[in-house]
Amino acid sequence: MTDDPIFGRGGLNPYVDADELVARIGLTESEIDWRKDFLNFDEEDERRLSELEPLLRAEQEAIADDFYEKLLRYEGTREIFERSPKDVEALKQTQRAYLRSLATGEYDRAYFANRARIGKLHELLDMPLKYYVGQYGVYYDLLLDRLNARVQDRVVEAIEEWAAEREAAEEEGGLGRLADVFGFGDDGGDVDDGLEASFERTVRSAIDDGMMDVLALLRIINLDLQVATETYVDSYATRLEEAIDRRDRLTAAVEADVRAPIDELHEASEAVAARAEAISAHASNQATAIERSASEVGAVSATVEEVASVADDVRGESERAERLTADGADAAEDALEELDAIERAAADVEAAVASLDERADAISTVVERLDEVATRTSILAKNAEIEAARSATESETDRTLMVIADEIDAFAERTRADLGSIEETAREVGDEVEATVETAEEMVERVDAGSDRVRETVASLETVHEAVRSTAAGMEDVAAATDQQARSVQSIAESLDELGGDADRVAGAAESVAAASQEQTASLGDVSDAVERLTTDVDGESTPVYERVN
């Protein structure tokens, strides 16, 4: 141990509990003794290390400077030093204290607890293990260089002591005898086998003693390295156990969270597979239907073209009908004008018939008067005849009167006969006039009705004319629309052909989807099994991952 207050007392020490760390890595007294025995580190090694203390103290400055000069050449180690709470000079001071502690420790549990704490501090600085172990190689190079010089000095000293002893024992002098031992004497001289063996023993003993010093130093550094390395292993094991615990918890959580979705996804995949098969069938049917529709649309296209041709003909007929209805409307208007003239003539006839009727009545009145006159004349003639008969003599006057009476009577008879004829004729004329009046009235009524119908016909013809005109305009639109429809149907036919190809491709893709969905369903089963294997061992019981690894 060392009483240097700076050694290992950096700013990271509050984060390290050395006793807990030593207990965690199992560094008990018996464990320490076992490790020492395994390396043959004993009290003799402790004595030798103690004898090395003056050398280490004398070389501590140079070793620390050379050590950090070497480490600071590399970017990785420089980054670690930059993270340290200590600067390089403080680190050198700590290094010097560590170097002295190698030769001044009691090498008990407290010593190795301090070594464990130092290793943990390096791990807290995130110094990679290769750097930490590698720096011991740098240490070996620096220490063994000094120990090599010490061993050489010890060999020379041993040889000089041996030579001084031989010079005291023999009168020949050490240098001459030494030359003989190394074979540099006279050619004819004999070499004493006993002297040669003694020299070899002396040299070997000095070298062996120096190497035992080196071995003691390597043993204690190895023990230090073991403990420091175990702090890294402990940290890695702790992190690994924490990671395993997290992984176990995560695995359990994932298994719990994923189980239901995987089952649902499995069911969904099966449903998707079934639907994909149905889609494939529907797509195939659709392709067939589209091909059939394309054929039918081709026929419709031809029909539409024929309709377009007929529409052109109908448009021509509509235009001709428009012209004819226009002519009919004009003729109806002319007929309406003629009907107006007929109505006026009928009115005139009606007036004339009325006047004729009045005149016929007047004739009847005259006939009646004439009949009365004829009656009176006849009476007069009878009276004259009677008077002539009474007369006794027949005079010329009487004969004249008789003649006159006869003539008057004849006239009266003829007049009466004529009046009868006139009356009959007048009656017939009256009947004819009455029939004419009735006919004229009926004609007037018919003319009125005909006029109304003609007017209605004119109105209807005008309506028809407008309708035909609209129909003609509509037929033009129909013809244009039919042409457009023909083009559209042709485009639809082409689109249906393309859709037929697309439907075939869709059917193929749907088959691929169905196959992929089936593969997905199988894969989901594998995933489900794999997730189950994450938390279940071969016996079907839940086992932590690190136990399975072990």
Side-chain angles (χ1 to χ4, degrees), residues 45-46 48-64 92 95-105 107 111 115 139-140 142-147 150 213-214 216-218 220-221 224:
D45 292 313
E46 295 181 9
R48 288 182 178 278
L49 289 173
S50 178
E51 291 178 355
L52 289 175
E53 195 274 336
L55 172 64
L56 297 178
R57 181 178 294 275
E59 295 291 335
Q60 64 180 347
E61 294 286 345
I63 290 176
K92 286 182 179 181
Q95 185 63 47
R96 289 192 292 269
Y98 171 71
L99 185 62
R100 293 194 303 271
S101 71
L102 291 174
T104 58
Y107 314 110
Y111 173 88
R115 291 297 186 265
Y139 225 56
Y140 293 154
L142 296 175
L143 290 175
L144 292 179
D145 184 62
R146 269 76 177 174
L147 290 177
R150 183 174 183 274
D213 291 343
V214 172
L217 186 61
L218 292 178
I220 189 59
I221 292 177
D224 288 356

Side-chain angles (χ1 to χ4, degrees), residues 394-412:
E394 183 175 344
S395 63
E396 187 65 29
T397 302
D398 291 334
R399 287 192 298 271
T400 301
L401 286 174
M402 286 297 291
V403 173
I404 291 170
D406 291 335
E407 288 296 328
I408 289 171
D409 186 47
F411 172 76

Side-chain angles (χ1 to χ4, degrees), residues 421-436:
S421 297
I422 291 170
E423 185 178 3
E424 182 67 25
T425 300
R427 189 168 46 253
E428 291 176 0
V429 169
D431 293 337
E432 291 295 331
V433 167
E434 185 178 355
T436 301

Side-chain angles (χ1 to χ4, degrees), residues 360-379:
D361 291 339
I363 291 172
S364 297
T365 303
V366 171
V367 168
E368 289 176 357
R369 289 176 181 176
L370 289 174
D371 184 48
E372 185 178 356
V373 169
T375 301
R376 289 179 179 181
T377 302
S378 178
I379 292 172

Side-chain angles (χ1 to χ4, degrees), residues 299-313:
V300 169
S301 177
T303 303
V304 168
E305 291 178 356
E306 184 177 355
V307 168
S309 177
V310 172
D312 289 336
D313 295 339

Side-chain angles (χ1 to χ4, degrees), residues 308-523:
S309 177
V310 172
D312 289 336
D313 295 339
V314 170
R315 181 177 57 186
E317 291 297 325
S318 296
E319 292 175 352
R320 192 167 75 83
E322 181 184 5
R323 291 192 300 271
L324 292 175
T325 53
D327 294 339
D330 294 338
E333 290 179 357
D334 293 339
L336 186 58
E337 292 177 357
E338 292 295 332
L339 281 174
D340 291 337
I342 291 172
E343 285 182 354
R344 290 192 298 271
D348 293 340
V349 168
E350 185 177 5
V353 169
S355 179
L356 180 61
D357 188 25
E358 292 176 357
R359 291 179 182 178
D361 291 339
I363 291 172
S364 297
T365 303
V366 171
V367 168
E368 289 176 357
R369 289 176 181 176
L370 289 174
D371 184 48
E372 185 178 356
V373 169
T375 301
R376 289 179 179 181
T377 302
S378 178
I379 292 172
L380 180 59
K382 290 297 183 183
N383 289 334
E385 185 178 353
I386 291 172
E387 287 296 328
R390 283 178 183 174
S391 182
T393 64
E394 183 175 344
S395 63
E396 187 65 29
T397 302
D398 291 334
R399 287 192 298 271
T400 301
L401 286 174
M402 286 297 291
V403 173
I404 291 170
D406 291 335
E407 288 296 328
I408 289 171
D409 186 47
F411 172 76
E413 289 296 332
R414 285 194 301 275
T415 298
R416 187 177 291 112
D418 290 337
L419 286 174
S421 297
I422 291 170
E423 185 178 3
E424 182 67 25
T425 300
R427 189 168 46 253
E428 291 176 0
V429 169
D431 293 337
E432 291 295 331
V433 167
E434 185 178 355
T436 301
V437 169
E438 292 177 357
T439 303
E441 289 176 353
E442 184 180 356
M443 182 184 69
V444 169
E445 290 176 358
R446 291 182 179 180
V447 167
D448 289 338
S451 297
D452 293 337
R453 291 181 181 177
V454 168
R455 288 189 180 91
E456 292 176 359
T457 302
V458 170
S460 298
L461 285 173
E462 290 177 351
T463 302
V464 170
H465 181 254
E466 291 298 328
V468 170
R469 181 182 299 169
S470 299
T471 301
M475 288 308 300
E476 291 181 358
D477 295 338
V478 168
T482 304
D483 292 338
Q484 179 64 36
Q485 185 180 12
R487 292 191 294 270
S488 299
V489 169
Q490 183 64 32
S491 177
I492 290 172
E494 295 174 356
S495 299
L496 284 174
D497 290 338
E498 295 178 0
L499 285 175
D502 292 339
D504 291 336
R505 289 189 291 272
V506 168
E511 292 177 358
S512 300
V513 169
S517 181
Q518 292 174 352
E519 294 177 0
Q520 183 184 14
T521 302
S523 299

